[in-house]
């Protein structure tokens, strides 16, 4: 069953267990993951990256994942992971995504916070329960062919009152 991230995180915290989250880019992978989690009676998060969106299309990924989620008895969350574009976040909300990680770490802190607020305000205006996570800092590594050499998060350099990761439940 399609559910929101808050519900499964609260249950996991109270129950002392973890929630698996998998990057997926097609139906076959989604189905195998959901079937295995259903067999174990365990909730799961299906995550979509920019490369998966390029491959399968945002609306296709969300529609297929949401339909699959609604065909099983376990809680399933659909999550847009490390999205750099505010408009893509809005489109995902319109398509029925349950959770978004807006990644503005490539922007100035001020722009990042402003963009995060744009996504937050848009999600709130839809009256849907969307979980929103914001990446305000950078961690060294490579994701979707983008390399960051920054060894520290921005919170080590600033005092903005946020703690990473910032998760807002709309």
């Amino acid at each position: 069953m399609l559910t929101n991230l808050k519900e499964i995180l609260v249950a996991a915290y109270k129950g002392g267990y973890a929630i698996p989250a998998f990057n997926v880019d097609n139906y076959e992978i989604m189905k195998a993951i959901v079937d295995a989690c259903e067999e174990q009676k365990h909730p799961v998060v299906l995550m979509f990256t920019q490369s998966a969106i390029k491959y399968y299309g945002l609306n296709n990924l969300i529609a297929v994942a949401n339909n699959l989620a609604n065909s099983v008895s376990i809680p399933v969350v659909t999550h847009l992971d490390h999205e750099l574009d505010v408009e893509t976040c809005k489109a995902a909300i319109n398509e029925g995504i349950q959770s978004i990680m807006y990644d503005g770490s490539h922007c100035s802190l001020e722009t990042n916070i402003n963009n995060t607020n744009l996504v937050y305000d848009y999600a709130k205006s839809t009256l849907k329960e969307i979980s929103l996570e914001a990446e305000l800092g950078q961690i060294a590594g490579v994701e979707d062919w983008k390399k960051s050499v920054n060894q520290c998060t921005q919170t080590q350099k600033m005092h903005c009152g946020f703690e990473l990761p910032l998760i807002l439940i709309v």
Side-chain angles (χ1 to χ4, degrees):
M1 81 189 115
L2 189 63
T3 191
N4 66 53
L5 188 60
K6 182 179 179 180
E7 283 184 35
I8 65 171
L9 288 179
V10 168
Y13 180 77
K14 287 179 180 176
Y17 58 88
I19 304 292
F22 299 93
N23 288 336
V24 296
D25 60 7
N26 63 46
Y27 172 76
E28 292 76 16
I29 292 170
M30 287 185 229
K31 177 110 172 78
I33 290 167
V34 169
D35 285 351
C37 288
E38 185 166 46
E39 185 176 305
Q40 296 299 312
K41 297 180 177 31
H42 200 79
V44 65
V45 178
L46 300 177
M47 302 191 308
F48 316 129
T49 64
Q50 291 176 335
S51 60
I53 292 167
K54 286 178 188 172
Y55 172 74
Y56 208 73
L58 179 67
N59 58 340
N60 292 333
L61 280 169
I62 295 171
V64 168
N66 286 355
N67 285 333
L68 180 59
N70 286 323
S71 74
V72 296
S73 61
I74 60 164
V76 178
V77 175
T78 54
H79 174 80
L80 181 60
D81 200 33
H82 287 276
E83 181 50 53
L84 306 174
D85 180 60
V86 170
E87 294 306 313
T88 302
C89 291
K90 290 178 179 180
I93 292 167
N94 293 339
E95 293 294 330
I97 201 81
Q98 299 301 303
S99 176
I100 295 174
M101 196 280 206
Y102 171 70
D103 185 345
S105 61
H106 60 287
C107 303
S108 70
L109 178 62
E110 182 179 352
T111 299
N112 189 343
I113 292 171
N114 287 338
N115 286 350
T116 301
N117 281 326
L118 288 173
V119 176
Y120 174 84
D121 290 342
Y122 186 80
K124 193 170 184 177
S125 75
T126 67
L127 302 178
K128 297 177 182 180
E129 263 193 56
I130 307 293
S131 301
L132 174 61
E133 177 186 356
E135 183 162 328
L136 298 178
Q138 297 177 345
I139 298 174
V142 177
E143 183 166 1
D144 278 344
W145 306 285
K146 293 173 193 72
K147 185 175 183 179
S148 172
V149 294
N150 191 349
Q151 296 289 336
C152 60
T153 64
Q154 290 177 2
T155 54
Q156 292 173 321
K157 300 176 186 175
M158 51 128 191
H159 302 284
C160 67
F162 294 117
E163 186 178 310
L164 293 181
L166 173 64
I167 299 179
L168 309 167
I169 306 295
V170 179

